[in-house]
Amino acid sequence: MIPFNKPYLTGKEVHYIYDAVHTGKLSGNGIYTQKCQKWFEQTYGFGKCLLTTSCTDALEMAAILIDIQQGDEVILPSYTFVSTANAFVLRGAKLVFADSRKDHPGIDEASIEGLITSKTKAIIPVHYAGVACDMDAIMEIANRHKLFVIEDAAQAIDSYFTGKDGIRKPLGSIGHLAAFSFHETKNIISGEGGMLVINDNQFAKRAEIIWEKGTNRSSFFRGEVDKYGWVDVGSSFLPSEIISAFLYAQLENIEIIQNKRKEIWNKYLDGLADWARKNDVMLPSIPVFASNNAHMFYVTCQNFEQRGRMIEKFRANGISAVFHYLSLHQSAYYCDKHEGRILRESDRYSDCLLRLPMYFELPSQDQNKIIQVLLNEK
Ligand SMILES: *Cc1c(COP(=O)(O)O)cnc(C)c1O
């Protein structure tokens, strides 16, 4: 069976874990946590970075930080993972779902302004497949209406947005806050893991307190206060040093990982371009302002039936190809709270998008076989 995903180990993970174990400091915010955080701040010019136990946690921290209250509204794409939504629902927010772009599952920036009301507090763009949303348009709308922007950059490590000013910015550096994931299905992994990026400095101090269970423990360890105590709400958001040690080994090898993934991604694109044109299947399109971090390779079929046939055919050939999100506005949990607006593109991606196996160690002959299955599908 060719799996859909296979976590890649660089070989250094166990070595750093051994080192972390040997130093005897196993809880969070130790040497490896700080090494990782510094790596992100220096490599991408992010504001303050805090490792978390997941991207889900980082999004929950973001919702606390922008002080979401009962009845506040947040605008997010319907075509996303449940965590993008749950973080805000947990604090009483009402979700206002936006549609996806025609050429890409990312949020349709042109539809956002019409969804803003006096209760809107934030916009949550999701960089689907690591491909940037139109951050110029989104930041401009947010600034004009005084809204916060929280980037769900779970899939977007080492990917970029080039603005109208020609400046190329890493995803996760643009919104007031951003959340990354190191879940084993992402490009850079630690099993479970995530990170909150705080680009708007007004949130930096409070973020650290929320991160440390509502205490000013971080200030205490820096010698800024002589005892620490309970000063705000918070939770247990820190990963252990064992997780951070694992993550650091991955970060050291990011270039190798990214180059290999891009090679695989481009081979799919080259191998399938003619076939896609003839069969009216959409291959991933990268908007001019976005880069490709090769997080995912997907095809968008003509309809639900065609996708079903392809999944069947893959299965018969021992290949695991999988669909992705079901529109959240159609979900069992939220459909009766959504106000009936039709989100055509989101539903189309729910019905028609199919993801192909994509991982560092995908053997070339296996990839040839995957491509051949599609070429045989008329
Ligand atoms: C993976 C993912 C998440 C959740 O990440 P975890 O680290 O598993 O919590 C959130 N949003 C998007 C878009 C994702 O792809």
Side-chain angles (χ1 to χ4, degrees):
M1 187 78 184
I2 301 174
F4 170 68
N5 180 57
K6 183 173 170 228
Y8 170 65
L9 301 178
T10 69
K12 265 303 198 54
E13 288 84 355
V14 178
H15 176 79
Y16 288 148
I17 288 174
Y18 183 88
D19 183 48
V21 169
H22 249 264
T23 63
K25 159 94 171 124
L26 298 181
S27 59
N29 202 8
I31 290 165
Y32 281 101
T33 301
Q34 282 162 22
K35 268 179 185 276
C36 291
Q37 291 174 174
K38 197 161 286 155
W39 186 91
F40 277 104
E41 289 164 4
Q42 288 173 350
T43 306
Y44 298 115
F46 291 158
K48 189 183 182 66
C49 293
L50 295 175
L51 292 192
T52 56
T53 52
S54 64
C55 178
T56 303
D57 266 357
L59 289 163
E60 286 177 29
M61 283 183 72
I64 296 172
L65 277 170
I66 65 165
D67 198 26
I68 291 284
Q69 301 287 323
Q70 192 75 36
D72 286 346
E73 295 179 5
V74 298
I75 297 172
L76 72 166
S78 178
Y79 195 74
T80 185
F81 190 54
V82 290
S83 293
T84 324
N86 264 327
F88 300 92
V89 169
L90 276 167
R91 314 220 68 79
K94 181 182 164 210
L95 304 177
V96 178
F97 289 115
D99 207 353
S100 296
R101 287 168 59 116
K102 260 203 163 60
D103 64 342
H104 191 271
I107 193 166
D108 176 7
E109 65 279 0
S111 74
I112 293 174
E113 193 139 29
L115 302 174
I116 293 174
T117 73
S118 60
K119 293 190 173 146
T120 307
K121 193 138 194 190
I123 305 169
I124 327 294
V126 179
H127 303 302
Y128 186 81
V131 172
C133 300
D134 185 344
M135 294 308 290
D136 271 350
I138 291 168
M139 295 310 290
E140 190 275 319
I141 294 166
N143 289 337
R144 199 148 33 76
H145 293 271
K146 299 193 166 44
L147 307 176
F148 293 115
V149 173
I150 299 166
E151 295 175 70
D152 182 336
Q155 305 171 11
I157 192 166
D158 199 44
S159 202
Y160 295 81
F161 171 78
T162 304
K164 288 191 287 263
D165 55 10
I167 297 172
R168 197 175 83 127
K169 299 184 190 124
L171 299 184
S173 71
I174 304 165
H176 301 86
L177 300 163
F180 284 88
S181 174
F182 310 118
H183 186 264
E184 73 167 30
T185 51
K186 310 299 202 254
N187 291 24
I188 294 292
I189 63 174
S190 62
E192 302 277 353
M195 181 174 71
L196 178 70
V197 177
I198 301 116
N199 296 313
D200 183 339
N201 203 41
Q202 67 164 308
F203 296 120
K205 198 153 179 228
R206 188 162 182 242
E208 212 175 51
I209 290 168
I210 291 165
W211 189 56
E212 283 275 24
K213 307 167 184 78
T215 73
N216 54 352
R217 194 163 175 269
S218 295
S219 296
F220 173 72
F221 281 119
R222 283 195 299 265
E224 294 162 10
V225 291
D226 58 9
K227 56 183 185 299
Y228 78 87
W230 188 20
V231 295
D232 202 334
V233 296
S235 191
S236 183
F237 290 121
L238 288 82
S240 92
E241 277 290 294
I242 296 175
I243 299 279
S244 310
F246 188 113
L247 180 63
Y248 193 65
Q250 294 262 316
L251 293 177
E252 279 188 333
N253 286 279
I254 189 165
E255 233 177 275
I256 296 164
I257 293 171
Q258 292 297 86
N259 287 342
K260 179 72 188 177
R261 292 186 73 102
K262 283 177 196 168
E263 200 180 290
I264 295 169
W265 198 97
N266 285 324
K267 180 167 165 171
Y268 273 134
L269 192 70
D270 292 345
L272 294 172
D274 282 344
W275 166 83
R277 234 185 333 268
K278 282 187 202 125
N279 290 277
D280 223 3
V281 169
M282 245 173 81
L283 297 184
S285 85
I286 315 283
V288 287
F289 51 71
S291 71
N292 174 31
N293 72 346
H295 172 61
M296 188 194 299
F297 195 94
Y298 60 90
V299 300
T300 312
C301 301
Q302 288 165 33
N303 52 45
F304 184 75
E305 290 69 31
Q306 187 191 33
R307 184 180 72 178
R309 281 201 308 277
M310 287 186 191
I311 291 176
E312 232 0 273
K313 208 146 175 217
F314 276 126
R315 193 173 300 150
N317 282 278
I319 296 161
S320 174
V322 295
F323 54 85
H324 211 183
Y325 307 129
L326 304 172
S327 292
L328 294 183
H329 73 286
Q330 306 271 24
S331 64
Y333 181 63
Y334 218 83
C335 64
D336 58 349
K337 300 175 198 75
H338 175 73
E339 281 147 1
R341 273 176 303 106
I342 291 168
L343 303 175
R344 201 180 306 278
E345 302 306 325
S346 177
D347 288 341
R348 186 167 62 86
Y349 291 114
S350 295
D351 285 348
C352 303
L353 188 145
L354 179 62
R355 296 178 291 161
L356 306 185
M358 174 83 219
Y359 49 88
F360 188 95
E361 291 172 294
L362 180 63
S364 181
Q365 66 271 27
D366 283 1
Q367 194 180 6
N368 293 341
K369 183 174 166 188
I370 296 162
I371 292 170
Q372 201 53 48
V373 168
L374 287 176
L375 298 188
N376 293 341
E377 162 79 11
K378 292 294 179 292

